[in-house]
Amino acid sequence: MNEQRKPIGFAPPPIDEDSIKAVERVLRSGWITSGPELAAFEHELSAFLGTSQTLCFSSWTTACELALRWFGVGPGDDVLLPAMTYAATANIVIHCGARPVLVDVDPIERVVTLDGLKAAWTPNTKVIMPVDLGGWPVDYDAISSWIHSPSLANDFEANTPIQKQLGRPLFLADAAHSFGATFRGVPIGQQADITGFSFHAVKNLTTAEGGALTFALPPEFNSEDISHWFRTMALHGQSKSALEKTKAGQWNYDVIHAGYKCNMTDIQAALGRAQLKKYSQQLLQRKSLAEAYHTAFSPHSWYIPPPLSDDRRESSYHLFSIRIAGFKSNQRDALMGHLQERGIASNVHFMPLPLLTLHKNRGEDISNYPNSQLAFGEVISLPLHLQMNLDDINYVVESCVQFIDEFPRND
Ligand SMILES: Cc1ncc(COP(=O)(O)O)c(C=O)c1O
């Protein structure tokens, strides 16, 4: 490795002095779990996303599992989700006793398509859960019109009062990567019935661990009831929050449900608030780095770019995952080793679920998901973060080109 050059990490968290001061302020305030910072963060997230309601939790995983449970998903139910996603998307379905039904992705966009969803639909489908992989929005228009179609409503068998009220499958968007992405100029978070974001440490905006839900359910759903249910379920089913219980004469409480413990703390919320103030600017920075990558790679015939923007969509530029035409996974792994030697961290998003033991044991076979299988061999995610400059981008590109041009491929 070039001795002069600082190693390029994959996705270091964007923690600056303002983030540190924000956390310090909460640490010194005398109240560190869910409280006023969380309320302010939720309010500011709603303003940023243009949503009427945003609720925060300890992670995307806990938030979206609650969403499935709110909808009454359980044994005998199917949830459609992509074959190429992180394990969490399927795990929450399994936690609820339901069946993840995997859908192959589009080879270029690497997200599920309407045709793929339609082909995977079963009479037991209760939830459609596509993933905006790398920050690239799925076709929200196409999925929304399908989900609202009379044929889907006719075939929907409601098992719970909430399912009856909706009268069709729930559209739950896995937007773990797409905070700040837009569809038709509108922030992701307003399109699906419920949208789940992740603020995990490697995400564009991080609270170390954390997640949020936004709601765009039909108007007959009462948002206060929903928010009360989710907040209660995130805190042991307890009728009062920890802060409310500290008020004079308010120590006593009831427990209404056997809830979970997955609330977001004020420390996390303060971290999120500090970053949210700068996030619009940071998105522009990420965009210019992604565009610099794209321009530098474009002359190479083996380069298959990640989708970044089109006439309806703009990515959140969470990942810069290129595909190298004709590469197999062992060649990609060798490239990752070469980059590592040059001080460059890289990653793979994702190993398709059918390649994981959990899903193999459920009877899944990767050969049923040819696009995911092909993409997996060819894909590599390159570092994209705010500590990088154009010189770093050129160094990464040059390091890739040097290796790939010399490596025998099958294209
Ligand atoms: C596509 C996708 N969905 C869900 C998750 C889970 O998010 P969290 O770690 O906040 O639970 C991740 C995490 O990386 C993810 O990549």
Side-chain angles (χ1 to χ4, degrees):
M1 181 197 148
N2 180 342
E3 292 299 329
Q4 308 302 315
R5 201 169 257 286
K6 251 176 65 185
I8 303 176
F10 185 71
I15 304 300
D16 62 6
E17 280 307 309
D18 289 335
S19 303
I20 293 167
K21 278 190 202 135
V23 169
E24 188 182 346
R25 176 169 47 76
V26 174
L27 290 175
R28 292 184 190 285
S29 73
W31 189 262
I32 58 174
T33 188
S34 310
E37 284 291 323
L38 176 59
F41 186 39
E42 290 179 339
H43 183 75
E44 288 161 11
L45 283 169
S46 292
F48 179 82
L49 296 167
T51 50
S52 55
Q53 193 179 29
T54 307
L55 302 176
C56 288
F57 303 89
S58 58
S59 65
W60 177 99
T61 303
T62 53
C64 288
E65 181 167 335
L66 275 188
L68 294 182
R69 291 188 185 275
W70 171 78
F71 199 57
V73 172
D77 293 336
D78 287 346
V79 176
L80 308 192
L81 55 102
M84 202 161 185
T85 181
Y86 183 55
T89 320
N91 280 357
I92 60 169
V93 176
I94 297 172
H95 295 170
C96 293
R99 183 172 72 123
V101 175
L102 308 187
V103 181
D104 205 4
V105 295
D106 176 82
I108 301 299
E109 299 208 346
R110 308 158 207 185
V111 294
V112 293
T113 61
L114 180 60
D115 286 346
L117 290 170
K118 281 183 172 171
W121 182 88
T122 75
N124 299 324
T125 301
K126 287 289 183 300
V127 179
I128 317 281
M129 187 167 35
V131 175
D132 296 336
L133 192 73
W136 179 245
V138 291
D139 189 341
Y140 280 94
D141 275 353
I143 298 172
S144 293
S145 30
W146 176 53
I147 218 158
H148 288 97
S149 63
S151 64
L152 219 57
N154 287 341
D155 291 334
F156 183 69
E157 205 180 296
N159 299 332
T160 68
I162 289 175
Q163 290 177 9
K164 205 166 187 175
Q165 191 177 357
L166 192 63
R168 56 166 173 80
L170 180 76
F171 184 0
L172 171 61
D174 179 343
H177 298 181
S178 54
F179 182 73
T182 55
F183 190 87
R184 292 195 187 284
V186 174
I188 297 306
Q190 296 190 37
Q191 294 79 6
D193 295 315
I194 304 182
T195 302
F197 296 104
S198 171
F199 303 135
H200 173 261
V202 299
K203 299 299 188 292
N204 288 10
L205 184 143
T206 181
T207 57
E209 297 286 352
L213 295 178
T214 58
F215 299 81
L217 285 155
E220 54 273 23
F221 282 86
N222 181 309
S223 59
E224 271 177 34
D225 289 350
I226 290 173
S227 124
H228 182 256
W229 187 91
F230 276 89
R231 284 195 202 290
T232 309
M233 286 300 283
L235 201 69
H236 293 301
Q238 202 174 277
S239 61
K240 284 179 193 163
S241 72
L243 189 59
E244 281 164 339
K245 281 167 57 193
T246 64
K247 307 262 156 65
Q250 291 295 319
W251 72 267
N252 58 337
Y253 58 90
D254 192 11
V255 169
I256 304 159
H257 313 285
Y260 301 87
K261 185 63 172 61
C262 55
N263 52 308
M264 179 180 275
T265 69
D266 269 16
I267 300 174
Q268 291 165 299
L271 202 47
R273 289 185 75 198
Q275 287 162 56
L276 189 57
K277 285 198 181 76
K278 302 176 182 178
Y279 192 62
S280 299
Q281 184 55 38
Q282 292 177 348
L283 276 176
L284 293 175
Q285 260 177 279
R286 299 185 79 93
K287 176 180 177 162
S288 72
L289 293 170
E291 285 174 347
Y293 263 138
H294 180 64
T295 307
F297 275 124
S298 285
H300 299 279
S301 60
W302 42 256
Y303 168 61
I304 306 177
L308 298 174
S309 68
D310 67 12
D311 54 348
R312 292 181 305 162
R313 294 174 271 194
E314 177 151 19
S315 177
S316 65
Y317 306 96
H318 173 52
L319 298 174
F320 195 83
S321 300
I322 67 166
R323 281 178 60 184
I324 301 156
F327 248 34
K328 296 271 174 284
S329 57
N330 60 329
Q331 295 170 301
R332 186 268 324 285
D333 292 349
L335 169 62
M336 290 176 79
H338 170 77
L339 295 178
Q340 192 69 51
E341 276 168 21
R342 297 186 51 116
I344 301 165
S346 59
N347 214 326
V348 176
H349 295 89
F350 284 99
M351 190 186 281
L353 299 181
L355 289 176
L356 303 174
T357 301
L358 168 68
H359 295 281
K360 282 188 198 156
N361 289 345
R362 293 179 50 247
E364 293 291 358
D365 183 338
I366 189 64
S367 63
N368 295 324
Y369 306 92
N371 292 341
S372 302
Q373 185 176 29
L374 176 72
F376 171 62
E378 293 183 340
V379 85
I380 177 169
S381 300
L382 300 172
L384 174 65
H385 54 80
L386 305 174
Q387 292 172 17
M388 293 178 77
N389 56 30
L390 292 181
D391 182 50
D392 295 323
I393 297 285
N394 288 333
Y395 176 66
V396 177
V397 174
E398 179 198 300
S399 305
C400 290
V401 169
Q402 184 191 57
F403 183 87
I404 297 165
D405 279 348
E406 282 169 16
F407 211 97
R409 290 191 317 283
N410 314 315
D411 54 341

